[in-house]
Amino acid sequence: MSSASNRPPIRVVVAKVGLDGHDRGVKVVARALRDAGMEVIYTGLHNSPEQVVATALAEDADAIGLSILSGAHMTLFPRVLALLEEASASDIVVFGGGIIPEQDAETLKAQGVAAIFGPGASTQSIAEWVASHVGGAEAASTS
């Protein structure tokens, strides 16, 4: 057995923020993360940043995956980051996906979003990224 199997499963809150009502993609990603051995908490549609952060704190999440197609990413993603900082929980990794222009994705990354997955990103690549960047995986792989 590898040392990775001795760690508890990565816990990921997957959320739709704002008024976006399209949830097929986020459900596919949630299932892929679950199938990759992670514990996934899907919050459903129409969540506020406050609800997402409260859920992540209550669930002792390692990461938050935000999905958005509405175009409000430049408001909602930074709000999640700010709320995590206010809660002294900046160690929770935030990543996102959806229809996010490359320039906005770069700005969000500079603000602290760890990764942005656009249309066409494979569920395998998302699950592999989460597995290698969340829950102490980086520290474990370098020790």
Side-chain angles (χ1 to χ4, degrees):
M1 291 192 141
S2 72
S3 62
S5 65
N6 296 331
R7 289 193 312 264
I10 295 170
R11 294 180 59 82
V12 183
V13 168
V14 179
K16 291 294 293 187
V17 286
L19 299 177
D20 184 0
H22 300 280
D23 64 349
R24 179 182 291 177
V26 73
K27 287 179 177 178
V28 170
V29 169
R31 184 174 188 126
L33 296 176
R34 185 207 64 194
D35 289 351
M38 298 173 209
E39 292 182 11
V40 178
I41 301 93
Y42 172 52
T43 63
L45 294 170
H46 310 301
N47 289 271
S48 70
E50 290 78 7
Q51 290 170 313
V52 172
V53 170
T55 299
L57 295 173
E59 293 288 346
D60 195 26
D62 300 303
I64 297 172
L66 299 173
S67 173
I68 194 159
L69 301 173
S70 68
H73 50 273
M74 295 302 288
T75 301
L76 297 171
F77 282 36
R79 180 69 178 143
V80 168
L81 294 170
L83 290 166
L84 287 172
E85 187 171 332
E86 288 172 20
S88 298
S90 295
D91 60 325
I92 297 176
V93 176
V94 177
F95 64 98
I99 307 297
I100 300 173
E102 185 61 35
Q103 183 175 359
D104 290 355
E106 293 306 317
T107 300
L108 291 170
K109 288 178 192 174
Q111 293 174 351
V113 176
I116 299 290
F117 298 95
S122 74
T123 55
Q124 180 179 348
S125 68
I126 296 168
E128 288 173 353
W129 182 90
V130 173
S132 67
H133 289 85
V134 175
E138 290 178 301
S141 67
T142 59
S143 55

